[in-house]
Structure formats: C-alpha cells, structure tokens
Amino acid sequence: MPHLATANTELARHVAAGLQKTPKTLSSKYFYDDAGSELFQQIMGLPEYYPTRTEFGLLTTYRGAITAALRPVSDEPFYLIELGAGDGLKTKILLRELLEQRANFSYVPVDISSGALDGLAASLHAELPNLRVEPVVAEYTAALTLMAARPGRKAVLFLGSNIGNFSPSDRREFLRALTQPLSPDDRLLIGFDLQKAPRLIRAAYDDAQGVTAAFNLNLLTRLNRELGGNFDLAHWQHYTDYDPIAGVVRSFLVSTRAQQVHLEALDQTVDFAAWEIIHTENSYKFTQPLISQLATEAGLEAQNFFTDEQAYFADVVLAP
Ligand code: AVI
C-alpha cells in the first residue's frame, strides 16, 4: 500500500484548490517527480524540442564572452550560483571555460531536492575534480539571501527558459525577489525562449513520439499514487496550443468523457464533464522588448543579449 500524503501537504492543498477553480488548474511545478524528471530528460533530447540544444549551442559559441560578463574584472573569488541545476550538462560548458581561465570561483547549485544535488555533485567531482562545489538545498530566493552574506560577486544562472513557466505577474515578482538580495556588482544570466514560427513552437510541446504527452499525463499518475486518486489514464488526453498573441504555449489534460475522480487523501470527489480540461502548464515565449521591460520592472538592466543565428533562444546578462 503506497504511503498517502495527508490533506496538509503542499501538493494536497494545491490540488484541492486547483480542481475547484474554473477552469480547473494544476501547476506544472508538480510534473517533476522521479518519473516526470526522467521524461523531461527525454524531452530535452527530442528532435522537436529545440530550446535545450539551441541554448547548448549558444553557450558553447559565446562561452568566452558570457564568462567575461559574469566574472569579476579582478581575481577576487566569486560564486557561480545556479538555480535548478538539473543534470548540469549546459552549465558544464561555462564551468569548463572558467576552469580553463583559472578563475577563482565556487559553483553553488541550488535545488529543493537534495537527491538532485547529490547526483550532480558526484558527476562534477568525477568530471571536473578541480572544481569547488558548494550545493545549497533551499528555495531559490532563500538561497540568494543566504549567499548575499558572503563576500564576493554572485553570478546567478537561471537557464533553460524556466522563467517561461511563470505567469507574467509571478515572473515579475520572482525576479524582484531574486534581485532584492543582490548588490550592484552581482550578475544574473537568464535563458529566454524567443517567439518564432508558431508551428515550430507548438511541435516542441506535441512531439511525434508522445513523450510530452506522457510527461503531462504523469501528473495524474502522481496524484493517483500520492493522493490516492483513481484517475483512469485511458480517458485522458494531452492537448497543447501556442497562442501567438499572448506568446504562450498552454498545455492541458482533457477528460474524454464525463467522469468522477475520487482523491482519497483529500476526501474529495471531482466531477469532470466530457471534454473538460485541466490547465497544467504555461510556457511563455519572449521578445527582446519584453525582456527589457521585464528587466526594468525588476530593477535590472539587460547588459548583454546572446542569441543563436536563427534567434530561437537568448541568454541575457542582467545587472542590478
Ligand atoms: C522546464 N520548462 C522550461 C519546460 C518548457 O519548455 O516549458 C517544460 C516542458 N514542458 C513541456 N515540455 C517541456
């Protein structure tokens, strides 16, 4: 018998509230259980999912200029802090470059899951034995407040267009909260997926092999396991669309028939009409003016804008 969450966990409270909204809504932050994280790794390698390989190419091409913008001019020690490090594949490009430059720095990967950080620290230790790694298990803003007490520049990485999964008001608030503990000498490097041909964007979220569908549907498997739900996956579909006016991919789970779902841990039964949706994810796409506006609103200045030849993706250096 799996161990059920009580009605008091963050997930339980989120689901109880989200399934009472109109439209029903669940946050994409709950996609990333073990199976979801594994599926996201697969998504990053899909032919249709251009953001990861584009950002990888961009960091490779501009690694010299990017590290020059991030590291202090003098040889004083600094911290390269990464929010949500994942497998570190992209970051290793910058880490290798800084090690080759003999830069005086520590790498500080931040995550709320200590498991994710343990794996990363072990792989870094094996691959880059000279690298100083100081993992921090914390929420992002708490980690930056903690690091602000240390002397030396903080260069903060937030790659992969993770910023695109926030709503416009949440991303403004998030960036303001991130910026608040930083001092004028610190820097941020943020990855933004850019607006482009709508069909290309849509295909990235509706791949031919169905991996993104499995990733979205896995949320229901998680609710079945952790909240004692009885979602029958045979009667749910993944649906996604890109809205070029709002510049956002919205993803949904669609109930293919009228059905009731019981969630034991919530002591709640939820009715779904035929073709009713649960909105599960927003993936916002940006333009250069939107990025500049966002920076200004957060009290930041965009200093360098690095993009690929096709202008699919941008990594932007920002200063408080
Ligand atoms: C993590 N995040 C930036 C991904 C994105 O592109 O919005 C998550 C994702 N969802 C579906 N595919 C990938």
Side-chain angles (χ1 to χ4, degrees):
M1 182 73 188
H3 177 73
L4 289 192
T6 64
N8 265 330
T9 63
E10 201 194 320
L11 174 69
R13 274 180 276 129
H14 176 80
V15 172
L19 294 184
Q20 281 178 31
K21 288 187 183 159
T22 311
K24 293 182 171 72
T25 306
L26 295 172
S27 167
S28 59
K29 80 176 191 188
Y30 297 108
F31 281 161
Y32 302 91
D33 62 356
D34 289 347
S37 302
E38 170 55 33
L39 286 164
F40 183 55
Q41 286 294 324
Q42 287 181 38
I43 287 174
M44 290 193 288
L46 289 171
E48 296 94 336
Y49 194 75
Y50 60 82
T52 309
R53 63 171 177 279
T54 309
E55 189 176 37
F56 190 92
L58 188 51
L59 294 172
T60 306
T61 306
Y62 296 109
R63 62 190 185 279
I66 291 173
T67 51
L70 294 180
R71 59 179 290 188
V73 185
S74 73
D75 199 37
E76 67 172 46
F78 70 101
Y79 293 98
L80 190 71
I81 303 170
E82 180 162 29
L83 308 178
D87 64 1
L89 218 58
K90 283 176 291 191
T91 319
K92 281 176 195 162
I93 302 164
L94 301 181
L95 295 174
R96 281 210 176 84
E97 175 67 23
L98 286 165
L99 288 171
E100 271 170 30
Q101 296 169 10
R102 301 197 179 286
N104 185 3
F105 75 108
S106 296
Y107 173 56
V108 182
V110 178
D111 206 293
I112 41 163
S113 144
S114 60
L117 289 177
D118 290 347
L120 176 64
S123 105
L124 286 172
H125 186 67
E127 267 183 66
L128 305 170
N130 294 328
L131 179 71
R132 291 198 297 268
V133 186
E134 298 183 34
V136 171
V137 180
E139 296 275 350
Y140 296 161
T141 45
L144 290 194
T145 306
L146 191 89
M147 293 303 295
R150 311 243 192 124
R153 172 181 281 193
K154 283 62 178 196
V156 182
L157 310 180
F158 192 48
L159 304 177
S161 204
N162 287 317
I163 189 105
N165 297 129
F166 289 92
S167 71
S169 61
D170 286 353
R171 74 174 169 248
R172 253 193 314 270
E173 216 173 285
F174 174 71
L175 264 199
R176 279 199 190 125
L178 278 194
T179 306
Q180 210 264 328
L182 299 181
S183 61
D185 190 46
D186 296 337
R187 296 290 179 269
L188 282 161
L189 179 71
I190 302 186
F192 292 92
D193 193 15
L194 300 178
Q195 295 185 10
K196 61 184 68 61
R199 284 173 207 281
L200 221 138
I201 297 180
R202 189 175 56 195
Y205 293 84
D206 202 8
D207 65 279
Q209 294 170 54
V211 183
T212 311
F215 177 63
N216 196 5
L217 287 159
N218 177 59
L219 184 57
L220 300 182
T221 307
R222 179 173 187 182
L223 302 193
N224 283 349
R225 186 182 61 244
E226 294 187 29
L227 300 179
N230 63 353
F231 284 96
D232 179 349
L233 268 64
H235 301 293
W236 289 89
Q237 285 176 356
H238 164 70
Y239 179 72
T240 192
D241 206 6
Y242 175 61
D243 170 356
I245 295 178
V248 63
V249 176
R250 296 191 189 89
S251 297
F252 305 95
L253 289 162
V254 185
S255 171
T256 61
R257 62 171 189 183
Q259 55 186 317
Q260 281 195 329
V261 175
H262 183 70
L263 293 140
E264 207 183 309
L266 306 181
D267 197 17
Q268 191 176 324
T269 300
V270 186
D271 285 307
F272 292 93
W275 308 114
E276 185 174 355
I277 53 93
I278 308 175
H279 179 193
T280 52
E281 187 175 50
N282 290 318
S283 270
Y284 279 87
K285 309 301 168 193
F286 297 84
T287 60
Q288 198 161 351
L290 266 175
I291 295 168
S292 302
Q293 187 193 335
L294 175 63
T296 309
E297 287 164 352
L300 292 162
E301 192 197 338
Q303 290 199 322
N304 313 73
F305 188 94
F306 296 98
T307 190
D308 53 288
E309 266 177 17
Q310 305 185 91
Y312 277 5
F313 201 94
D315 276 308
V316 182
V317 178
L318 302 135

